[in-house]
Amino acid sequence: MAVLLLAHNAYLWFGQKIVPDSDILALLPVEERDPVLQQSFSHMVDSAQQRVIVLVGADDWTQAKRAADAYSAVLAQRGDLLQLPPPMTEQAQNDWLAPFQQHRPALLTPAQQDALQHQPKQYWVDTALGQLYSPFAGPKLGAWQDDPFGLFSGWVQARAQETPVRPRDERLFVENNGRQYVLLPLTLKVPAFSMTAQRSVLPLLERAAQAARQAVPQVELVSAGVVLHAAAASTQASGEMSTIGLGSLAGIVLLVWLTFRSVKPILLIALSLGIGCLGAWSLCWLVFGRVHLLTLVFGASLIGVAQDYGIYFMCSRLGADRALSSAQLLRRLWPGLLLTLAAAVIGYMGLALTPFPGLRQMALFSALGLLFAWLTVICWFPFLLQPDSLHGTRAAERYGASLVRWPLLHWNRTTLVLALLFVALAGFGLARLGVNDDIRSLQSPPKALLADQIKVGKLLDAPTPVQFYLVRGASAEIVLQREEALKQRLDPLIAKHLISGYQALSNWVPSQQAQAANRAAVGHNLLADDGPLGLLAQRIGEDSDWSATMRKRLLTSAAPLTPADFLQLPASEPWRHLWLGQVTGIDGNPYASIVALRGLNDYAGLPQLKQAAQGMDGVQWVDKVGEISSVLGRYRLYMGWVLLGAYAAIFALLSIRYRAAAWRIMAPPLLASMATLALLGWTGQPLQLFHVLALMLILGLGVDYGIFLYEQIDRRDRFAWLTVGLSAINALLSFGLLSLSKTPPLHAFGLTMLIGTALVWLIVPCLAASSSSRGGGYAKIALPTVVNHCFL
């Protein structure tokens, strides 16, 4: 079996058949997942994922250009990593606008549409004369005869207002409080989340920054990009793995060495854990076809419980009579080992009853890992451990002997006082315990990167990729019409400064209905014989033939502009992520687009933005932060109920063997969990999903410790207490040190494990029955000893 597992894992990993899934939406129930919504979010994220934005700022434009040129010169040497933007020449700008010229009468801003309906003829005549004669009439695009009333120029200026970035000296320019910035929108040519790519890109960016500083010492460099945050997270994870991971591993190896003074126990425990991981991975892949990254993180940590089986067997072997063979010892330990496995599997299988695929996958992975580790102990350890193959040390002997001096609680006035004190303190802490499922609380980017990200967003007035509107329809035309209706609702919110604007494809490609209406409005209100065009001809001394020629020139255009046409143009590149087009496999409303929001800084206004979409067919408000936070909250609630169900099921199972004494095994993890939650409340830390996940692991550890002690309690066996001590210290080293992590989820998980495991370790011997107590009696203990050992 082990050979098959090893071969299958080698086939999967070295054959690159699988890659851990990191999509948070993959954890949602299938019936609740929306493929169009998922694709829309991917569009928004992917558009930013391969971008690196660099702002090179200085007090004057000349210095900013010099520094930016030095920066770009370094990047130009590695075109395989980063692609620089092309020069923004005048010809490039003309080529960018040229395709829209033939659609001029169909492209109008809302203000122009209103003016065509309400402004008098003389207003348009004066506007045209101002365009013709006034040097301050604003920028002109092409000949005056092509746009005498300035409609197309006004539409282009409105499109330019969607971003503060402007072309200047063949570069992209943005200004803030008198400071000049050159904008370098870089395109990453390698995957942003590839650690190999990060190790190449970040040094390149640093060399470019050094070159810019050498050219202009006082230059300001502001950078933003997914690859920067991914690299920071990778660096932090690597540092924590080397400090916390290697530190805990070294501690565990040292602990086992001090206990047995032999390498063999270390190798045996590693063998059981290794087979457990290989078996869980193989079968999970066969069942699900993929394994989620969160499953690996959660499941791999839970497999750490599997070390208890090997430690229990080895400590029992150490204390058993040498005349007793390992096979005979296994038969004696069989009930306890079976109960510890059953209790753990019951807890994890409770997750499989939930509708979340992610939790079901975690449950199967964890249960399989424990099962394979348990089978390794059952099948291999009796043959690999001979009666004289283990020898204890003096330190192990002293620790094991301490059990006889450990206090035992009994029912009297002292216990009642302690119970009331615990209920009061725990109740107060639990009453103060709040919850926080906000996904943003689980992120801890470096402050410098976060500050740069915020500054870039403000300077460029960039839209947020996590809050937007998803617009659907049966055709592209319907989608554009619904976008236009939505924008009418958003315009008042711009006036209230809730947002600074929006980005939508219909800004560039009006619906065919709107284009036809625009052309009709221009023809009727401007170009009629008795309209402004006729009056303009009289004012400039032209005849009716000139008016007819102008009318034909202004109204002649190609077929209506469509999204497909626009997306083929170079001008569409910054907006392509807004158009999903036809989504395959979707009935009813297969076409979809995105309306992105700019200047959304006050999250208190999110309810108003959500309300703007209410009652509109095919328009959906999307808040990915709120959605993922809701998923985490639902996971937390499900896990809470599963945890309670696990307590009930395990208690029923233990009652079959231990009857009235089963509460003694269940009480330590329950009290430790309540105390841990109370401490979180006392310290003001809100409850999160990762706290609850840790409580599930504390339940498994606590039940194991209770069973280990109770199975040997007739002799107050010092080797059973040694098993508990080794397991607890190993758990503290494996999981408790995660509390030092700067990653919030790992910190929350590790802190809960640190407190809970330590409390279980202290409480278990206080509730373990002595040989006399199995018949109903309890050993007595003085109050100070109980307080010192059980509550401090």
Side-chain angles (χ1 to χ4, degrees):
M1 180 184 67
V3 174
L4 288 177
L5 290 177
L6 185 61
H8 187 237
N9 274 266
Y11 165 76
L12 294 177
W13 285 104
F14 294 105
Q16 297 182 352
K17 300 295 182 181
I18 47 176
V19 176
D21 188 0
S22 59
D23 182 9
I24 188 68
L25 293 179
L27 301 175
L28 285 171
V30 175
E31 61 272 13
E32 294 186 9
R33 291 168 55 192
D34 187 335
V36 180
L37 180 61
Q38 184 175 358
Q39 184 172 338
S40 69
F41 181 60
S42 298
H43 262 66
M44 293 295 286
V45 172
D46 292 345
S47 66
Q49 182 171 298
Q50 296 301 108
R51 288 286 191 183
V52 178
I53 304 299
V54 179
L55 289 170
V56 183
D59 293 331
D60 65 78
W61 179 240
T62 302
Q63 289 182 336
K65 288 194 298 181
R66 186 164 65 251
D69 290 344
Y71 194 100
S72 301
V74 175
L75 298 185
Q77 302 172 10
R78 293 299 307 270
D80 58 321
L81 295 178
L82 288 166
Q83 178 181 337
L84 288 163
M88 187 55 64
T89 62
E90 184 174 352
Q91 183 60 44
Q93 298 177 53
N94 293 334
D95 293 343
W96 196 80
L97 289 173
F100 297 101
Q101 297 279 356
Q102 58 184 332
H103 301 284
R104 289 191 306 268
L107 303 176
L108 298 177
T109 68
Q112 291 171 339
Q113 293 169 345
D114 182 73
L116 286 172
Q117 298 295 328
H118 300 98
Q119 292 294 348
K121 298 177 183 179
Q122 191 59 44
Y123 168 83
W124 293 106
V125 173
D126 294 340
T127 299
L129 292 175
Q131 291 283 331
L132 179 60
Y133 296 119
S134 176
F136 306 105
K140 298 179 177 62
L141 301 175
W144 176 82
Q145 292 85 349
D146 292 332
D147 189 29
F149 300 102
L151 294 177
F152 183 64
S153 297
W155 179 83
V156 172
Q157 290 180 35
R159 302 287 68 78
Q161 295 305 314
E162 295 187 21
T163 174
V165 180
R166 298 290 181 268
R168 183 178 180 184
D169 295 340
E170 299 187 358
R171 297 168 178 81
L172 295 176
F173 157 78
V174 66
E175 185 268 341
N176 181 59
N177 295 328
R179 194 163 182 81
Q180 316 294 309
Y181 293 90
V182 176
L183 170 62
L184 297 176
L186 310 174
T187 301
L188 195 64
K189 304 297 289 292
V190 291
F193 291 99
S194 167
M195 295 185 67
T196 303
Q198 294 164 14
R199 286 192 288 265
S200 300
V201 171
L202 262 65
L204 177 63
L205 294 175
E206 182 57 34
R207 291 197 303 271
Q210 291 176 359
R213 294 188 183 98
Q214 290 177 358
V216 181
Q218 62 271 38
V219 67
E220 178 188 3
L221 297 173
V222 186
S223 304
V226 173
V227 67
L228 304 179
H229 290 268
S234 299
T235 301
Q236 179 176 306
S238 299
E240 291 179 353
M241 286 179 61
S242 61
T243 56
I244 298 175
L246 295 179
S248 62
L249 178 61
I252 292 173
V253 170
L254 179 61
L255 182 65
V256 176
W257 172 261
L258 292 176
T259 303
F260 299 104
R261 290 291 175 89
S262 174
V263 177
K264 190 173 185 178
I266 300 173
L267 297 177
L268 289 176
I269 292 176
L271 175 66
S272 65
L273 295 179
I275 293 179
C277 290
L278 294 177
W281 179 268
S282 288
L283 291 187
C284 265
W285 185 83
L286 292 174
V287 171
F288 295 102
R290 60 180 179 178
V291 179
H292 199 276
L293 188 60
L294 187 57
T295 299
L296 294 182
V297 175
F298 178 65
S301 65
L302 291 178
I303 290 178
V305 181
Q307 66 183 346
D308 293 353
Y309 309 137
I311 290 176
Y312 182 41
F313 188 91
M314 288 189 293
C315 289
S316 299
R317 176 69 276 175
L318 187 64
D321 193 330
R322 297 297 174 90
L324 189 68
S325 68
S326 292
Q328 293 171 326
L329 176 63
L330 176 61
R331 285 193 291 273
R332 178 181 296 179
L333 300 179
W334 175 262
L337 284 170
L338 186 61
L339 279 176
T340 56
L341 175 66
V345 171
I346 286 175
Y348 301 142
M349 283 297 99
L351 299 179
L353 302 178
T354 67
F356 290 100
L359 289 183
R360 292 200 294 266
Q361 194 177 103
M362 293 178 196
L364 182 62
F365 190 95
S366 303
L368 288 173
L370 294 176
L371 176 61
F372 278 104
W374 184 85
L375 288 174
T376 303
V377 172
I378 296 298
C379 299
W380 289 28
F381 277 38
F383 300 98
L384 298 177
L385 278 177
Q386 300 304 319
D388 58 348
S389 61
L390 291 178
H391 303 279
T393 62
R394 183 174 300 177
E397 289 284 343
R398 284 200 298 264
Y399 173 81
S402 68
L403 179 63
V404 298
R405 298 188 297 272
W406 205 266
L408 288 173
L409 291 178
H410 55 90
W411 294 111
N412 60 9
R413 184 178 300 176
T414 299
T415 302
L416 180 61
V417 171
L418 289 174
L420 292 176
L421 180 62
F422 177 82
V423 170
L425 294 176
F428 182 77
L430 292 173
R432 291 170 52 90
L433 184 64
V435 297
N436 183 10
D437 301 312
D438 194 332
I439 185 65
R440 287 168 292 195
S441 66
L442 302 181
Q443 300 172 331
S444 60
K447 293 182 179 179
L449 275 182
L450 184 60
D452 279 4
Q453 188 80 35
I454 294 174
K455 188 166 186 176
V456 167
K458 289 182 177 180
L459 287 175
L460 302 184
D461 197 18
T464 169
V466 292
Q467 283 99 14
F468 55 87
Y469 294 97
L470 177 62
V471 184
R472 312 188 206 201
S475 65
E477 172 67 10
I478 293 177
V479 170
L480 293 176
Q481 291 179 16
R482 289 174 175 175
E483 277 192 12
E484 291 163 350
L486 173 63
K487 292 189 296 184
Q488 292 180 4
R489 292 194 179 188
L490 294 180
D491 288 336
L493 301 182
I494 298 176
K496 294 179 181 179
H497 303 289
L498 183 62
I499 56 176
S500 63
Y502 46 74
Q503 293 179 352
L505 201 75
S506 56
N507 288 348
W508 297 85
V509 187
S511 65
Q512 294 189 31
Q513 181 184 63
Q515 292 184 55
N518 290 342
R519 288 174 56 84
V522 171
H524 180 267
N525 296 308
L526 289 183
L527 306 181
D529 291 336
D530 59 346
L533 183 62
L535 294 177
L536 176 62
Q538 297 175 14
R539 291 287 299 272
I540 63 176
E542 298 289 348
D543 56 16
S544 59
D545 291 338
W546 181 88
S547 299
T549 302
M550 285 293 294
R551 185 180 303 111
K552 182 178 181 180
R553 179 173 188 166
L554 294 176
L555 282 181
T556 300
S557 67
L561 182 63
T562 66
D565 297 332
F566 173 71
L567 294 174
Q568 298 298 320
L569 303 178
S572 69
E573 195 277 333
W575 325 107
R576 288 172 186 164
H577 64 282
L578 299 176
W579 188 252
L580 277 69
Q582 186 173 8
V583 182
T584 58
I586 302 300
D587 299 326
N589 292 321
Y591 288 85
S593 70
I594 293 168
V595 175
L597 302 175
R598 300 181 359 247
L600 177 57
N601 299 318
D602 185 6
Y603 291 103
L606 292 180
Q608 297 183 56
L609 293 169
K610 181 179 180 180
Q611 187 177 5
Q614 291 180 352
M616 297 190 67
D617 292 337
V619 179
Q620 177 183 358
W621 167 247
V622 178
D623 178 8
K624 292 306 297 183
V625 172
E627 180 184 347
I628 297 176
S629 300
S630 176
V631 170
L632 293 177
R634 294 180 64 181
Y635 268 57
R636 176 180 51 78
L637 290 175
Y638 267 110
M639 284 296 299
W641 286 110
V642 168
L643 182 62
L644 294 178
Y647 269 98
I650 294 174
F651 180 77
L653 177 65
L654 296 179
S655 297
I656 297 176
R657 177 169 175 81
Y658 303 116
R659 301 188 183 279
W663 70 271
R664 293 181 174 275
I665 299 175
M666 296 298 299
L670 178 61
L671 293 175
S673 297
M674 293 176 61
T676 301
L677 294 177
L679 286 174
L680 293 177
W682 274 93
T683 58
Q685 297 192 41
L687 184 66
Q688 297 174 344
L689 169 66
F690 296 92
H691 293 120
V692 183
L693 295 179
L695 294 179
M696 179 67 77
L697 187 53
I698 290 173
L699 168 62
L701 291 173
V703 169
D704 285 355
Y705 300 165
I707 292 175
F708 293 157
L709 282 182
Y710 201 85
E711 286 293 322
Q712 302 292 337
I713 207 65
D714 282 337
R715 296 178 292 136
R716 298 282 286 169
D717 193 284
R718 65 184 187 275
F719 296 103
W721 179 231
L722 179 62
T723 302
V724 173
L726 287 175
S727 177
I729 296 175
N730 284 341
L732 290 174
L733 289 173
S734 299
F735 307 118
L737 287 180
L738 290 176
S739 61
L740 302 177
S741 173
K742 295 181 181 179
T743 305
L746 294 181
H747 172 76
F749 185 88
L751 181 63
T752 307
M753 286 299 303
L754 179 66
I755 299 173
T757 303
L759 289 175
V760 167
W761 187 14
L762 294 175
I763 295 173
V764 161
C766 298
L767 295 176
S770 64
S771 57
S772 60
S773 67
R774 286 196 175 187
Y778 296 90
K780 296 183 178 180
I781 189 76
L783 175 61
T785 306
V786 174
V787 173
N788 289 336
H789 287 279
C790 295
F791 293 95
L792 299 180

